[in-house]
Amino acid sequence: MTFNEGNTVEDFIRDLLSGGITHHTNVGPGLARRHGSVTGLGWHFLGAEDLPRQPQEVLVEEHLREALVRLNPEIASEPDRVEDVLYGLRAIILGVRNDGLVKANEEFSAWLKGERSMPFGENGEHVTIHLLDFDDLERNQYVVTTQYSVQAGSSRRRADLVLVVNGIPLVVIEAKTPVRSSESWLDGASQIRDDYERSVPELFVPNAFAIASEGKEFRYGSVRLPLALWLPWRIEADPRAPGLQKIEKAASSMLRPQVVLDLLANFTVYATDKKKRRIKIVARYQQYEATNQIVERVVAGYPKKGLIWHFQGSGKSLLMLFAARKLRLHPALGNPTVMIVVDRVDLDSQLSSTFYAADTPNLIKAETRSDLRRLLERDIRKIIITTIFKFGEAEGVLNERKNLIALVDEAHRTQEGDLGRKMRQAIPNAFLFGLTGTPINRADRNTFYAFGAEEDARGYMSRYGFEESVRDGATKPLHFEPRLLELHVDRNAIDEAFKRLSGGLSDLDREQLARTAARMAVLVKAPERIQAICADVAKHYQAKVAPNGFGAQLVAFDREACVLYKRALDECLPPECSDIVMTVHSGEVEYAPWRRDRDDEEKLLDRFRDPDDPLKILIVTSKLLTGFNAPNLQCMYLDKPLRDHTLLQAICRTNRPYGESKTHGLIVDYLGVFDDVAQAIQFDDESIKQVVTNISELIRKLPTAMQKCLAYFAGVDRTLAGYEGLIAAQNCLPNNGIRDTFAADYSYLSRLWEAVSPDLVLSEHETDYRWLTQVYESVKPSTGTGRLLWHALGPKTIDLIYDHVHVDDLRDDLDTVVLDAELLEAVLGAPDPEKKAKEIEIKVSRRLRKHLHKPQFRALGERLEELKQRHEQGLLVSIEFLKALLEIARDVVEAERSAEPMADEDRGKAALTELFEEVRNDDTPIMVERIVNDIDEIVKYVRFDGWQATHAGGREVKLALRKTLFRYRLHQDQELFDRAYGYIREYY
């Protein structure tokens, strides 16, 4: 028996949800909605053919009619009113192509959550319409079905599994085969996002979330979510457990009816991002778990505190948003007050913007101490955002209510002193939950005492550490690189200066340490040293950071050093490339040029986040070391003594994910902070010592990784060019298993290469790496599957190929071969049919990879992969294999001719038109024809023959594209830029 996606992953999830019970009759409301009548997780299986619906209908209207009557007394009294509701819901679904998917999904979500009404009450009064019952879950009908087919115009798509509640398809699940290592969850997610959501967006208007799995990983995402942000629903399990056991744990947790509805009602928000687009956010697992732990404790009334450690960058702001919203809406809590308490003005601004962007109701900021006193004394029942410092003048009790909950961010910093004591006196009966992005040391007993409950193992109510964060893709790994060792400062001097800067001095030591730190300040700010560092920063930035479009921070010793660095850096880089962000008080003439109010500073930071803006380096000393979120920030040039919490928070500014090209954050150490990592980052938690990896360790690993890849090709002459050389290499990778193993090893090597580049140590490996890269590209699956293993090449690898080598463009005479009868006979009569078949296979694969985004070519690619597999298994002899290959080749040529009668540039304009039509919505009106014409015109102006094969050509075309997108305020959308550039590169 063969294993495939249908009889493994799809059937496994179906049976897990339904208990393996298959019914072939319609389901009465009682049977399907009673948990007691169904085993498994509470879902009842119905085959698609047994659902009372047509493919043109997204909803199972018969089931929804029953639910509307069941859940709405006003409709039960006049059942004809069902049609009025259905008419409105159909209108939202049918309007998706004009309104955009996120907007339509948001409106349908409001109906699902009971936020819409109709005039069905007495005298035409509006009453709330309930499509689902969130209070009594047994009143809902839960159906899991397979092969759910939806027809929209000429497009028809069939989802593997769909979870339907009261006739509404809430969850779409795409299953991939678990027995081919290059098939991954990413292929399923891509199919949902890039195919289904485009071809049949109507299916996703009611969607809560979607899931993709290949039986090893279980990932979920919301509508239009970039694939890089699909995350696992992670339940801790034995890492050695078989893949399906892990899937069982994840699905059993996330896909229970009560969890699906909880996620829909309390853990989904719609927000406006920096690009003024609406986005949909569904909580990550750690946010869901911690929020519900908070709510459970508040509802139970005990314990009245808890300590939450979620690693820097893993989403604490959203955790507080979800917790605040669920607490405010909980019926058992009697309209509580939720306080969000931070200890920095910049964190106050960041959190406020997160809450406001998500349209959080009943939100208020306590701007002053008197504001805070007034809000508490008047017993305002809202979400209040404030800083801990506003409790500074609070005396005595301000509010004694028990349903007041304080969520305190960065709990380790200010809670041990007078401010923490005054806050507790002001709200003596409040629940107190402390959140931190760094672990708490056992020496900080006050923090554990203030927030840690005795019931919690290891002192934490919820822990989500560094390893989990990187493993799940929530953050990126961190590497550090010591630079200019001759300029490093004595370790003891760093320690002493750190104590002075952090204020941790006793009176006896203050004078001595001040003298030591003063001497260090002179050392650090010596003109020769600053000149040398700025010259190195400029060189390093231009070689390692700028080519990827990333930004950097330069962390200076103090404010004076910031100014010195700015002046020196302006001699090495254009002045507009850098700017200073620091606190400047009135009257400080020497720093006056860098004094900004909050709005001006935010505008500057938005410029930094803008990939098209020349501002790429921020010079700072204390500002922006915490709470600053700029995903494009990759590199930190560190020249200030930092340690422990402060150091960890600072370096984690670089760990946010940003597109596929950002593989890690990088810390360049000019002071010697990391000369002793164990001293620099001292925490009880041993895992924190592994947070940063020395680049030199990666360099040491490179030769071993290179040899491991080359070992696949023992005895192959790597100087042999053309088809002869390529076929010899491919013969060493005879089947899918070996090819996928090679892909995994090459992926590891390429990550090392991208991290280390452009270090001169790579020169000795350059020829071998270039050869391996070309072989890797030549054996990629022509279906586009396996995107985790068969990843896109990194920018430094592409530069290597284009800048330093003339790629032998293998002659492709496929059209001539399949259309010339005499030549075709000659091919079939070749003395070595195996070799000829290999040559034809290479040509067909190259053709197919050009058209991977088109369904008809994807189907041809699947035919080719299946044919290759049959040949590798010995089911086809060489001549039969060659004949079948030529049939596919003929179909490829015919598909190209019939599907693409227009010129390449016309195809390019068509592809760009489709792309910009997809991203337009009411909030960002785009004149599609004009923008496409502008791009077409400017690209034709700057391009030249063969521009794709040169670094300069790519740079000029990218710059032209960014300028055009900037004109239409679309320049910050990195995914849009990447896709548009991909089409230009292919068609122009």
Side-chain angles (χ1 to χ4, degrees):
M1 178 181 179
T2 58
F3 298 109
N4 56 49
E5 62 191 53
N7 65 23
T8 53
V9 180
E10 182 181 316
D11 287 358
F12 179 76
I13 294 176
R14 178 201 67 198
D15 291 347
L16 177 69
L17 298 180
S18 66
I21 299 175
T22 303
H23 296 271
H24 298 287
T25 58
N26 203 354
V27 189
L31 178 62
R33 39 187 173 89
R34 300 295 173 189
H35 287 278
S37 67
V38 184
T39 58
L41 299 182
W43 298 88
H44 184 94
F45 176 71
L46 266 183
E49 68 279 3
D50 296 314
L51 288 172
R53 62 177 284 273
Q54 297 300 313
Q56 293 81 5
E57 298 169 338
V58 169
L59 307 171
V60 185
E61 294 191 0
E62 184 178 315
H63 291 182
L64 182 52
R65 282 187 177 89
E66 294 171 357
L68 286 167
V69 170
R70 187 165 67 246
L71 303 180
N72 299 275
E74 295 83 4
I75 295 177
S77 63
E78 292 189 39
D80 288 347
R81 288 172 168 170
V82 163
E83 296 308 318
D84 294 334
V85 179
L86 288 178
Y87 179 83
L89 297 178
R90 289 191 208 107
I92 300 171
I93 293 172
L94 294 174
V96 63
R97 293 178 187 258
N98 292 323
D99 298 334
L101 182 50
V102 175
K103 185 176 179 181
N105 184 264
E106 182 176 7
E107 176 60 19
F108 205 101
S109 176
W111 280 87
L112 289 170
K113 291 190 284 188
E115 296 172 0
R116 294 293 181 265
S117 61
M118 294 196 76
F120 295 161
E122 290 185 18
N123 302 317
E125 291 181 0
H126 273 255
V127 294
T128 299
I129 302 300
H130 298 283
L131 309 185
L132 305 168
D133 194 324
F134 292 98
D135 298 320
D136 185 356
L137 299 184
E138 292 197 3
R139 297 183 71 202
N140 299 313
Q141 179 192 52
Y142 304 104
V143 168
V144 55
T145 188
T146 55
Q147 304 304 307
Y148 196 84
S149 183
V150 174
Q151 178 97 27
S154 61
S155 298
R156 184 168 184 150
R157 296 294 184 271
R158 185 180 292 111
D160 289 341
L161 288 139
V162 176
L163 306 188
V164 186
V165 182
N166 292 350
I168 305 165
L170 292 184
V171 181
V172 172
I173 304 172
E174 192 64 24
K176 290 296 173 186
T177 177
V179 296
R180 173 84 197 275
S181 61
S182 74
E183 285 268 319
S184 75
W185 66 267
L186 190 56
D187 298 297
S190 174
Q191 194 167 352
I192 289 172
R193 187 187 188 280
D194 297 332
D195 184 7
Y196 294 176
E197 286 184 10
R198 289 185 196 171
S199 303
V200 287
E202 292 81 359
L203 172 60
F204 293 88
V205 172
N207 184 260
F209 52 87
I211 289 168
S213 177
E214 83 290 60
K216 309 179 191 79
E217 281 286 335
F218 180 97
R219 301 266 177 153
Y220 68 101
S222 55
V223 292
R224 305 315 302 147
L225 184 73
L227 297 176
L229 299 180
W230 284 53
L231 290 173
W233 189 264
R234 187 75 67 177
I235 305 296
E236 293 308 319
D238 182 354
R240 297 164 298 181
L244 286 175
Q245 287 187 18
K246 297 175 187 174
I247 301 306
E248 180 178 5
K249 276 185 169 290
S252 296
S253 169
M254 188 184 198
L255 298 183
R256 292 181 182 277
Q258 59 267 40
V259 177
V260 171
L261 294 186
D262 195 16
L263 285 167
L264 174 63
N266 301 302
F267 292 92
T268 300
V269 296
Y270 296 84
T272 304
D273 68 6
K274 291 278 185 183
K275 303 160 194 170
K276 308 301 181 187
R277 300 174 308 181
R278 292 298 279 176
I279 58 172
K280 180 179 180 179
I281 303 167
V282 179
R284 301 172 183 172
Y285 172 70
Q286 72 274 12
Q287 295 162 343
Y288 178 84
E289 180 187 55
T291 291
N292 280 335
Q293 287 175 320
I294 290 171
V295 172
E296 285 167 12
R297 290 193 176 186
V298 174
V299 171
Y302 183 85
K304 299 201 69 168
K305 56 184 179 178
L307 186 57
I308 299 164
W309 168 31
H310 286 189
F311 189 67
Q312 293 287 339
S314 57
K316 293 195 304 302
S317 297
L318 282 171
L319 190 163
M320 287 189 278
L321 171 65
F322 292 127
R325 288 167 68 120
K326 187 163 186 178
L327 288 164
R328 286 278 305 145
L329 293 172
H330 202 290
L333 298 182
N335 195 17
T337 297
V338 180
M339 297 187 67
I340 310 295
V341 184
V342 299
D343 72 341
R344 296 278 172 90
V345 173
D346 51 359
L347 285 177
D348 184 12
S349 300
Q350 179 195 337
L351 273 166
S352 299
S353 62
T354 300
F355 277 63
Y356 282 122
D359 303 325
T360 304
N362 297 309
L363 176 67
I364 190 168
K365 279 186 71 173
E367 298 283 5
T368 65
R369 293 177 176 183
S370 59
D371 278 349
L372 179 63
R373 172 180 288 275
R374 176 180 54 81
L375 291 169
L376 289 175
E377 287 182 338
R378 293 185 181 179
D379 202 19
I380 300 298
R381 307 295 184 97
K382 293 186 177 183
I383 298 171
I384 302 172
I385 298 180
T386 188
T387 62
I388 185 68
F389 305 105
K390 293 184 175 65
F391 285 97
E393 295 177 2
E395 297 296 337
V397 176
L398 297 181
N399 193 305
E400 293 186 279
R401 260 195 305 115
K402 295 181 179 179
N403 66 340
L404 196 156
I405 307 105
L407 306 176
V408 183
D409 196 23
E410 300 300 351
H412 61 276
R413 286 205 294 238
T414 53
Q415 287 297 311
E416 291 86 349
D418 285 346
L419 291 172
R421 178 177 52 79
K422 288 194 171 186
M423 185 186 78
R424 285 164 174 74
Q425 288 176 345
I427 47 175
N429 297 316
F431 288 84
L432 299 175
F433 295 96
L435 296 95
T436 178
T438 55
I440 306 299
N441 282 330
R442 289 288 153 183
D444 299 333
R445 286 307 311 168
N446 288 341
T447 305
F448 280 108
Y449 174 76
F451 294 104
E454 293 180 3
E455 292 82 355
D456 295 327
R458 300 170 64 188
Y460 297 111
M461 182 182 84
S462 177
R463 179 190 185 280
Y464 186 74
F466 163 72
E467 314 100 305
E468 292 89 354
S469 177
V470 172
R471 173 200 65 192
D472 292 347
T475 62
K476 292 294 181 182
L478 293 169
H479 303 322
F480 75 89
E481 181 178 357
R483 300 283 285 190
L484 304 178
L485 298 178
E486 68 276 9
L487 298 179
H488 281 201
V489 177
D490 176 67
R491 179 83 234 170
N492 291 329
I494 292 177
D495 290 343
E496 304 299 357
F498 171 77
K499 291 176 186 175
R500 177 173 180 268
L501 290 169
S502 63
L505 301 178
S506 68
D507 291 337
L508 292 174
D509 291 337
R510 187 174 300 277
E511 185 178 346
Q512 174 63 36
L513 293 177
R515 284 199 298 270
T516 305
R519 287 198 301 273
M520 183 187 176
V522 173
L523 254 174
V524 167
K525 290 183 279 191
E528 300 85 358
R529 183 176 185 275
I530 285 182
Q531 290 290 340
I533 287 176
C534 284
D536 192 67
V537 166
K539 178 182 175 184
H540 183 278
Y541 168 77
Q542 289 173 316
K544 297 194 75 167
V545 185
N548 301 317
F550 297 139
Q553 274 186 336
L554 199 167
V555 184
F557 186 80
D558 56 20
R559 293 189 300 164
E560 181 189 7
C562 287
V563 177
L564 295 173
Y565 270 123
K566 172 62 177 164
R567 290 173 184 163
L569 205 55
D570 284 352
E571 296 176 11
C572 307
L573 294 170
E576 62 270 19
C577 185
S578 64
D579 211 330
I580 298 173
V581 179
M582 63 183 181
T583 301
V584 180
H585 303 290
S586 61
E588 293 183 318
V589 179
E590 67 274 33
Y591 302 133
W594 298 285
R595 188 179 184 204
R596 301 181 182 90
D597 61 26
R598 193 179 299 180
D599 287 342
D600 287 339
E601 184 174 295
E602 193 54 44
K603 288 176 184 175
L604 181 80
L605 299 183
D606 281 342
R607 284 184 52 210
F608 176 75
R609 296 183 183 102
D610 178 357
D612 201 47
D613 197 284
L615 178 60
K616 298 299 181 187
I617 301 175
L618 297 177
I619 303 169
V620 302
T621 183
S622 58
K623 269 197 168 186
L624 308 188
L625 296 189
T626 60
F628 176 52
N629 187 16
N632 62 313
L633 171 59
Q634 191 216 17
C635 185
M636 176 176 285
Y637 299 106
L638 184 61
D639 199 35
K640 177 175 181 174
L642 302 174
R643 280 185 55 181
D644 301 336
H645 293 290
T646 314
L647 176 61
L648 191 56
Q649 287 173 324
I651 64 179
C652 286
R653 297 310 98 204
T654 68
N655 76 351
R656 285 9 178 213
Y658 183 69
E660 293 185 4
S661 59
K662 186 175 180 182
T663 57
H664 61 279
L666 180 61
I667 319 301
V668 179
D669 181 8
Y670 287 105
L671 194 63
V673 171
F674 289 105
D675 285 355
D676 186 343
V677 177
Q679 280 292 317
I681 305 179
Q682 288 188 326
F683 290 98
D684 298 331
D685 193 290
E686 287 295 314
S687 67
I688 292 299
K689 295 176 183 176
Q690 308 302 318
V691 165
V692 286
T693 304
N694 197 328
I695 286 285
S696 62
E697 293 180 24
L698 303 182
I699 292 174
R700 284 197 295 271
K701 293 176 180 178
L702 188 74
T704 303
M706 183 69 71
Q707 287 305 313
K708 189 171 184 181
C709 287
L710 290 173
Y712 287 89
F713 308 100
V716 171
D717 181 1
R718 297 201 293 277
T719 64
L720 197 59
Y723 282 116
E724 298 290 332
L726 196 54
I727 290 173
Q730 289 189 359
N731 284 338
C732 297
L733 306 171
N735 56 56
N736 285 336
I738 296 175
R739 281 194 288 271
D740 289 344
T741 306
F742 166 68
D745 290 336
Y746 175 85
S747 294
Y748 175 71
L749 172 64
S750 70
R751 286 196 298 271
L752 288 178
W753 189 276
E754 294 288 319
V756 172
S757 180
D759 196 289
L760 292 177
V761 74
L762 299 179
S763 300
E764 61 185 282
H765 304 291
E766 191 172 299
T767 302
D768 287 338
Y769 183 66
R770 189 188 311 131
W771 185 86
L772 286 168
T773 298
Q774 293 181 61
V775 174
Y776 169 85
E777 282 290 280
S778 79
V779 295
K780 269 187 177 181
S782 51
T783 55
T785 58
R787 292 176 56 174
L788 284 177
L789 286 178
W790 300 90
H791 66 290
L793 298 181
K796 290 158 189 159
T797 300
I798 292 172
D799 285 347
L800 173 71
I801 296 296
Y802 290 153
D803 283 353
H804 303 297
V805 65
H806 169 68
V807 180
D808 183 15
D809 192 10
L810 304 176
R811 187 171 52 87
D812 181 358
D813 55 354
L814 198 61
D815 302 72
T816 308
V817 170
V818 299
L819 298 176
D820 187 323
E822 291 184 10
L823 186 56
L824 191 58
E825 285 298 320
V827 168
L828 289 171
D832 187 349
E834 185 72 33
K835 183 178 178 182
K836 200 65 186 176
K838 197 70 178 175
E839 185 179 322
I840 297 293
E841 179 200 321
I842 292 170
K843 292 175 180 178
V844 173
S845 295
R846 284 163 59 87
R847 287 286 187 94
L848 287 171
R849 276 195 287 271
K850 291 180 181 178
H851 307 286
L852 280 182
H853 60 287
K854 299 167 187 167
Q856 67 267 41
F857 289 95
R858 194 178 298 126
L860 287 167
E862 289 168 359
R863 271 179 61 192
L864 177 61
E865 289 298 313
E866 184 182 351
L867 181 66
K868 285 162 58 179
Q869 193 159 355
R870 290 175 62 206
H871 179 53
E872 288 162 7
Q873 293 170 347
L875 302 177
L876 285 176
V877 296
S878 297
I879 190 65
E880 291 173 338
F881 179 47
L882 179 55
K883 284 180 179 178
L885 272 173
L886 286 167
E887 285 181 19
I888 294 178
R890 187 183 295 110
D891 290 344
V892 169
V893 171
E894 287 300 324
E896 286 179 328
R897 293 190 169 195
S898 60
E900 301 174 341
M902 57 185 81
D904 270 353
E905 287 163 14
D906 291 333
R907 292 203 297 271
K909 289 183 72 172
L912 289 169
T913 299
E914 182 182 347
L915 172 62
F916 288 105
E917 285 286 2
E918 178 188 325
V919 300
R920 73 185 298 173
N921 58 53
D922 288 349
D923 297 325
T924 57
I926 304 165
M927 290 168 284
V928 173
E929 184 177 1
R930 184 182 296 180
I931 189 174
V932 170
N933 285 337
D934 285 355
I935 292 173
D936 180 72
E937 182 178 337
I938 196 168
V939 168
K940 284 178 179 175
Y941 179 76
V942 302
R943 64 157 188 195
F944 50 86
D945 286 342
W947 69 266
Q948 294 96 331
T950 69
H951 184 59
R955 185 174 61 245
E956 287 299 316
V957 170
K958 284 181 178 179
L959 184 61
L961 176 61
R962 282 204 191 282
K963 285 181 178 177
T964 310
L965 293 180
F966 181 78
R967 197 178 309 145
Y968 293 90
R969 298 292 181 265
L970 294 168
H971 53 291
Q972 291 185 327
D973 191 333
Q974 187 64 35
E975 184 185 1
L976 178 65
F977 174 84
D978 290 341
R979 288 175 60 193
Y981 178 70
Y983 289 143
I984 292 167
R985 184 176 176 78
E986 179 176 348
Y987 294 118
Y988 287 81

